[in-house]
Amino acid sequence: MTYEIRAIAAVESPLADRANAPKQGAEGAPDACLAFDPAMAEGIGDLAAGDEVFVLTWLHLADRTVTAVHPRDDPRNPLTGVFSTRSADRPNPIGLHRVRVLAVDGLRVRVAGLEAVDGTPVIDVKPVLDAAR
């Protein structure tokens, strides 16, 4: 089966290539912007500075033929199935990024600590839920 996924936004980031991007957001990822398609305006209308959200991306530079990797690209680590890792290279390269919203300005949402490279398609945004929500 195949399914269609459409980008709802694109990442605007100073990170230009995978080689120089941190592996995880907490490892020095810069602030970035999510530039939303105008058709998504209503969908982002309730986002506000301070919100924690999961940004789901389509890791368009990933190798979709990979099913096992050396974690963190370190050959000293044993070969491990991608479903037990956070590798970008995988059959369906969906990225999961927990970020904090810094500001919302029209169709642009500025977030802290996003390790996705410039131009990465955003496929969804979901709130981080705590016990009270």
Side-chain angles (χ1 to χ4, degrees):
M1 284 196 214
T2 60
Y3 298 91
E4 182 178 327
I5 293 177
R6 288 183 233 131
I8 58 170
V11 173
E12 294 177 349
S13 172
L15 298 173
D17 61 72
R18 282 182 62 180
N20 295 323
K23 299 282 186 204
Q24 299 296 320
E27 296 174 349
D31 295 349
C33 282
L34 310 178
F36 281 86
D37 181 292
M40 300 298 121
E42 186 176 23
I44 63 172
D46 297 305
L47 290 178
D51 288 349
E52 283 195 77
V53 296
F54 289 112
V55 176
L56 286 80
T57 57
W58 187 262
L59 302 172
H60 64 298
L61 303 176
D63 182 343
R64 296 184 70 181
T65 65
V66 173
T67 55
V69 297
H70 295 281
R72 303 194 65 79
D73 297 323
D74 185 341
R76 295 173 296 181
N77 290 328
L79 201 57
T80 304
V82 294
F83 305 128
S84 296
T85 76
R86 293 291 303 262
S87 174
D89 295 323
R90 56 198 320 112
N92 288 311
I94 296 171
L96 177 65
H97 319 269
R98 185 175 179 161
V99 299
R100 184 173 36 84
V101 174
L102 298 173
V104 179
D105 183 14
L107 295 171
R108 293 171 49 85
V109 177
R110 188 157 184 80
V111 298
L114 180 60
E115 75 277 17
V117 299
D118 189 57
T120 299
V122 175
I123 59 174
D124 208 349
V125 175
K126 296 182 181 284
V128 173
L129 301 179
D130 59 23
R133 202 165 168 196

